[in-house]
Amino acid sequence: MKESRNVNQANGNALINAADISRHYTMADGTVQALDNVSLTVNVGEFIAITGPSGSGKSTLMNILGLLDTCDSGTYMFSGLDTKTLADNELSRIRNERIGFIFQSFNLIPTLSVVENVALPLTYRGIPTAKRLERSLSALEAVGLSGRLSHKPYELSGGQQQRVAIARAIAADPDLILADEPCGNLDSRSGKEVMELLLSRHKCGKTVILITHSLSDAKYADRILTVCDGKLYK
Ligand SMILES: Nc1ncnc2c1ncn2[C@@H]1O[C@H](COP(=O)(O)OP(=O)(O)OP(=O)(O)O)[C@@H](O)[C@H]1O
Ligand SMILES: [Mg+2]
């Protein structure tokens, strides 16, 4: 396996350009080096899969790429913008408008209905009510949940909750979808449907980064990278 250094070629078409990024966590009993000098370029419209053992740093990387967290050192350019120079409100705007997240744990809001959960990020974007509803219904139809609009997350199965999370990520039509183990809680048929949904976003020209333990899911991607002990390998 070759460590993925020097894959950080300047490329006008890069959506993501991370150079030597590191992230550690400090706790009472010591330090964990979750990411260790990771460099990664992802071009607009690419579909990449990231695999690696549990605890290797995949979710840490996803949080940084999705502007939910920052690196300790290194440079992270998103769409040509150096993220270190961006104010919090600019980072939030990019997150809301350009990035869709599908988390390992679904991160649905328990007090909101299915359709309200999907519509919430559109509210942050200031999209008018009627348009929010139209987009949310269409995304829920795409994941086969039109019959569960007023259910609360606890009234759904794990797989259905994951599909709500996917509908929420695609409703805003983001440029980048970051999916962290989106099929981890699904049976193989639902998992295949989820992969087809991600593939359909990719075919629409969107960039998809999939974190997965499943080699068969990773094979949907154009490129497969591996994280091991905080280092990225290609
Ligand atoms: N908030 C945190 N505080 C302290 N340590 C953390 C924190 N988040 C992650 N870590 C540690 O950083 C390392 C990488 O964690 P990360 O969640 O990125 O792994 P992962 O590859 O996503 O694992 P999994 O496949 O189990 O989801 C682990 O050793 C983990 O214990
Ligand atoms: Mg993880």
Side-chain angles (χ1 to χ4, degrees):
M1 225 170 4
K2 186 171 170 222
E3 191 180 344
S4 181
R5 287 177 186 270
N6 307 322
V7 292
N8 208 25
Q9 319 94 317
N11 186 328
N13 204 27
L15 181 66
I16 279 174
N17 201 322
D20 287 323
I21 58 171
S22 295
R23 173 73 163 98
H24 72 277
Y25 297 104
T26 305
M27 286 152 302
D29 56 350
T31 296
V32 176
Q33 191 66 44
L35 289 181
D36 185 4
N37 283 299
V38 165
S39 294
L40 170 67
T41 300
V42 181
N43 287 331
V44 171
E46 257 198 296
F47 183 170
I48 72 157
I50 298 177
T51 63
S54 178
S56 57
K58 303 180 298 296
S59 295
T60 303
L61 179 60
M62 164 164 149
N63 289 339
I64 292 173
L65 297 182
L67 308 176
L68 292 167
D69 193 11
T70 52
C71 46
D72 308 321
S73 59
T75 307
Y76 176 32
M77 311 280 289
F78 180 87
S79 200
L81 300 168
D82 184 345
T83 56
K84 273 218 175 70
T85 66
L86 300 174
D88 283 350
N89 62 338
E90 292 172 297
L91 292 169
S92 304
R93 190 182 54 76
I94 295 172
R95 260 198 320 267
N96 286 334
E97 294 185 359
R98 303 195 58 189
I99 306 177
F101 296 93
I102 305 167
F103 294 99
Q104 240 174 331
S105 51
F106 321 122
N107 279 22
L108 299 176
I109 298 184
T111 51
L112 297 184
S113 70
V114 162
V115 72
E116 288 166 342
N117 263 287
V118 174
L120 191 62
L122 304 176
T123 313
Y124 295 142
R125 286 179 59 175
I127 293 172
T129 313
K131 194 83 192 154
R132 282 205 303 267
L133 193 62
E134 185 192 317
R135 284 201 186 184
S136 304
L137 294 180
S138 141
L140 283 162
E141 194 181 343
V143 300
L145 281 178
S146 299
R148 296 286 187 282
L149 301 182
S150 54
H151 282 57
K152 296 277 170 37
Y154 66 85
E155 295 166 327
L156 301 174
S157 71
Q160 288 171 331
Q161 289 181 55
Q162 187 60 304
R163 283 190 277 150
V164 176
I166 290 161
R168 181 182 55 188
I170 64 178
D173 196 27
D175 298 328
L176 170 65
I177 293 182
L178 285 170
D180 195 350
E181 287 289 348
C183 307
N185 293 292
L186 304 183
D187 61 55
S188 58
R189 188 170 143 230
S190 310
K192 190 160 187 292
E193 284 170 10
V194 166
M195 290 310 304
E196 296 293 342
L197 280 167
L198 291 178
L199 202 56
S200 75
R201 306 315 299 157
H202 170 54
K203 285 183 177 154
C204 293
K206 305 299 180 182
T207 310
V208 179
I209 299 182
L210 167 73
I211 292 172
T212 182
H213 286 117
S214 157
L215 213 56
S216 59
D217 287 349
K219 284 183 180 150
Y220 282 80
D222 303 324
R223 272 197 291 155
I224 303 176
L225 303 172
T226 303
V227 181
C228 202
D229 288 338
K231 291 184 185 293
L232 185 69
Y233 299 87
K234 61 178 175 172

